[in-house]
Amino acid sequence: MTETSATVLVVDDEKLIRWSLGSRLERKGHKILTSETGEDALLKVASDKPDLMLLDVRLPGIDGVTTLTRALAIHPEIIVVMMSAHSTVDTAVDAMKLGATDFLVKPFPLEPLDATVERVLAGKA
């Protein structure tokens, strides 16, 4: 259990993924925001200044990599963990070069998610 309570924005076009990740992290004490598009996520990044964004690579409208770069321009302190079921090593490397802190390949068990969230938030403190 983490001592750090954070605001986490879960960005995924699949409702079940938003719900399951959000529910899991909420039980860990985090405040959860969700978005199903990059455009909506950027509005929430600007207005709510989340500490962490879990961001899918494939989204309707602007994609996750574009959302990543725009989010960091709006809120440079945000931690971004990219997620994708369709990832390649190149996509992961590109996302990390652009400022993502980590990359999770879906589907992933929730325990590694907990560890990743705790680790990246601890690095921010």
Side-chain angles (χ1 to χ4, degrees):
M1 180 74 89
T2 182
E3 303 263 334
T4 309
S5 177
T7 300
V8 180
L9 174 57
V10 179
V11 186
D12 199 294
D13 59 329
E14 294 183 42
K15 185 176 183 177
L16 182 59
I17 291 174
R18 291 194 309 272
W19 175 83
S20 62
L21 297 182
S23 296
R24 175 77 175 206
L25 294 171
E26 202 165 44
R27 285 193 301 274
K28 297 285 184 181
H30 301 296
K31 177 184 174 192
I32 303 303
L33 307 168
T34 61
S35 293
E36 62 182 290
T37 66
E39 291 86 350
D40 183 62
L42 292 172
L43 294 174
K44 289 181 178 165
V45 167
S47 64
D48 296 299
K49 300 283 192 230
D51 301 293
L52 170 64
M53 179 166 52
L54 299 176
L55 178 60
D56 193 19
V57 170
R58 288 196 178 176
L59 295 169
I62 62 172
D63 67 16
V65 174
T66 302
T67 302
L68 164 69
T69 57
R70 291 183 186 176
L72 288 169
I74 294 167
H75 179 34
E77 297 82 33
I78 193 170
I79 299 165
V80 181
V81 174
M82 302 296 292
M83 311 178 292
S84 180
H86 311 282
S87 72
T88 64
V89 171
D90 289 343
T91 304
V93 169
D94 289 345
M96 301 293 275
K97 284 181 182 175
L98 292 170
T101 302
D102 209 334
F103 198 102
L104 297 171
V105 177
K106 297 190 299 187
F108 47 82
L110 292 175
E111 290 76 18
L113 171 71
D114 295 340
T116 297
V117 168
E118 286 189 36
R119 181 177 45 75
V120 298
L121 289 174
K124 183 179 181 179

